[in-house]
Amino acid sequence: MRYRKIPDEAVRRLPVYLRAALHLSGRGIECTSSQGLADFIGVEPWQIRKDFSYFGDFGVPGVGYNLSRLIKHVNRILRLDTGPKAALVGVGNLGTALLTFPGFRMYGLEIAAAFDIDKRKIGRRKAGVLIEDVAALSDLRTRGIDLGIVAVPEATSQQVIDALAQAGIKGILNFSPRHVVVPRGMKVITIDIAMDLARLPYYVPAG
Amino acid sequence: MRYRKIPDEAVRRLPVYLRAALHLSGRGIECTSSQGLADFIGVEPWQIRKDFSYFGDFGVPGVGYNLSRLIKHVNRILRLDTGPKAALVGVGNLGTALLTFPGFRMYGLEIAAAFDIDKRKIGRRKAGVLIEDVAALSDLRTRGIDLGIVAVPEATSQQVIDALAQAGIKGILNFSPRHVVVPRGMKVITIDIAMDLARLPYYVPAG
DNA sequence: GTTTGTGAATAGTTTCACAGCA
DNA sequence: TGCTGTGAAACTATTCACAAAC
């Protein structure tokens, strides 16, 4: 493999490949081809080979990919091998759903702290996680937390992100659709649920 | 404007522009420039002008965009002007969060029906919506529903999507990461929350 | 003077086709 | 023979720069 710029889209797909590898590995399969992975995911095999090629040699020509090796490799690339911990801010309906969300576990991700502004929630536990006062949010890195999940009303998302930045957080999964300004070096991935539902009718024939 | 293929990315951004227009309009602003919209959203103004250019003439040179006209125009393009209704399948933690989610309203979207497999939930109401038996899911078009939201465990997502297709649904917002096969003409937009959190550590400097 | 709308240039991503290795 | 890894080609999207419109 020679160096070249890694497409963002290739990075975005790595977790998908990782999930497929984990699934197939869980079924007792040790080795599979790009075709085997592609069929599972519903993409084309050269897409997978191309994406992997940006990160090094994953497979063996004529044979395929050893799944446990692939899993280890992708886990390291995505920095999931250290079991990243996230702090959730906003324990409303969406926040609660995220606390109990089963999908994080397979990636080794964990919500290790939760914060809210509501005095009635503070001090209680939800899904085993203590809800703390968002006003006391500070220094999360010393607690081994370096990701943030923002599930607050959009009016407060900017100040929450500022507070998370102050607490040393460099990566945020943001469910608020409002534009936020972030310090240099911070990465924000926004999930805009309403936007995604709102563009759906465009594709649906009028009726 | 001359015809050319409309980029998917431009369609994806239309709801963002619509939200900005609604916000600014709500503040009493009648007219703004692409720069004014861009500042609000956090993008560059030519991106907005280019995107609008695929759909026709929205603005007035030297003046800008009349917001109520813009809102009406974008609403029609996205087919939001008829107030699309969605059926939610899966009233777990995530489904409940979606039922109470405030973000759909501004787009004129409504969750008009909810389905679950759990007998204890069926017959009850949540956020004013009656929870019906998913086994009785049929013929949603006659109820004026043409969108589906799938928030079920991934093991059942395929059969739920099959049932929605049977019920006449042509557009689905899918929260299950599993690959699903869909009938021709059906559009599925997948939100993969775990995938988005899982690629975040990649961008965060090791520490 | 100001701002739009858009052709042209640049950048990024996907797809192909096949050399090279097991 | 079968499958990977990858240059090259094709396609798609972003960015620029400016003529035309107000």
Side-chain angles (χ1 to χ4, degrees), chain B residues 96-123:
Chain B
T96 302
L98 294 169
L99 274 175
T100 58
F101 188 66
F104 295 141
R105 183 185 309 258
M106 85 185 305
Y107 291 117
L109 297 160
E110 187 200 341
I111 299 181
F115 297 88
D116 204 289
I117 202 170
D118 187 341
K119 291 277 185 282
R120 289 166 300 181
K121 290 177 187 165
I122 295 163

Side-chain angles (χ1 to χ4, degrees), chain A residues 46-114:
Chain A
W46 26 255
Q47 173 98 85
I48 295 177
R49 294 203 303 274
K50 187 67 161 180
D51 285 346
F52 284 166
S53 80
Y54 296 112
F55 300 98
D57 296 4
F58 283 49
V60 182
V63 180
Y65 300 93
N66 176 284
L67 286 175
S68 65
R69 199 175 105 80
L70 181 63
I71 289 164
K72 203 178 293 182
H73 202 150
V74 176
N75 263 318
R76 184 156 50 240
I77 293 164
L78 291 173
R79 298 190 210 268
L80 293 170
D81 50 350
T82 53
K85 290 181 175 37
L88 170 71
V89 185
V91 192
N93 279 296
L94 181 56
T96 302
L98 294 170
L99 274 175
T100 58
F101 188 67
F104 296 141
R105 183 185 308 258
M106 86 184 305
Y107 291 117
L109 298 160
E110 188 200 342
I111 299 181

Side-chain angles (χ1 to χ4, degrees), chain A residues 6 8 11-16 19 23 27 39-43 55 77-80 84 86 93-98 100-101 103-104 106-107 109-111 141 146-149 154 170-173 175 177-180 185 187-207, chain B residues 6 8 11-16 19 23 27 39-43 55 77-80 84 86 93-98 100-101 103-104 106-107 109-111 141 146-149 154 170-173 175 177-180 185 187-207:
Chain A
I6 294 166
D8 245 15
V11 176
R12 197 183 56 75
R13 286 186 291 259
L14 282 187
V16 178
R19 170 159 40 218
H23 265 277
R27 288 185 193 170
D39 289 346
F40 186 86
I41 297 163
V43 300
F55 300 98
I77 293 164
L78 291 173
R79 298 190 210 268
L80 293 170
N93 279 296
L94 181 56
T96 302
L98 294 170
T100 58
F101 188 67
F104 296 141
M106 86 184 305
Y107 291 117
L109 298 160
E110 188 200 342
I111 299 181
R141 300 299 299 281
D146 33 32
L147 302 176
I149 302 176
E154 55 174 303
K170 291 275 191 293
I172 287 177
L173 186 64
F175 286 87
R178 165 169 294 197
H179 167 58
V180 285
K187 171 78 175 179
V188 178
I189 293 175
T190 296
I191 295 180
D192 188 337
I193 296 172
M195 179 194 82
D196 283 325
L197 188 62
R199 74 197 164 95
L200 199 46
Y202 175 86
Y203 298 98
V204 175
Chain B
I6 294 167
D8 245 16
V11 176
R12 197 182 58 74
R13 285 186 292 259
L14 282 187
V16 179
R19 169 161 37 222
H23 265 277
R27 288 186 194 170
D39 290 346
F40 186 85
I41 298 163
V43 299
F55 300 97
I77 292 164
L78 290 173
R79 298 189 209 267
L80 293 170
N93 279 296
L94 180 57
T96 302
L98 294 169
T100 58
F101 188 66
F104 295 141
M106 85 185 305
Y107 291 117
L109 297 160
E110 187 200 341
I111 299 181
R141 299 300 296 280
D146 33 33
L147 303 176
I149 302 176
E154 57 173 305
K170 291 277 193 292
I172 286 177
L173 187 64
F175 286 87
R178 165 168 293 195
H179 166 58
V180 285
K187 172 78 176 181
V188 178
I189 292 174
T190 296
I191 295 180
D192 189 336
I193 295 172
M195 178 193 82
D196 284 326
L197 188 62
R199 73 196 164 95
L200 198 45
Y202 175 87
Y203 297 100
V204 175

Side-chain angles (χ1 to χ4, degrees), chain B residues 45-61:
Chain B
W46 28 256
Q47 173 98 88
I48 295 177
R49 294 203 302 275
K50 189 65 161 180
D51 285 346
F52 284 166
S53 80
Y54 296 112
F55 300 97
D57 297 3
F58 284 47
V60 182

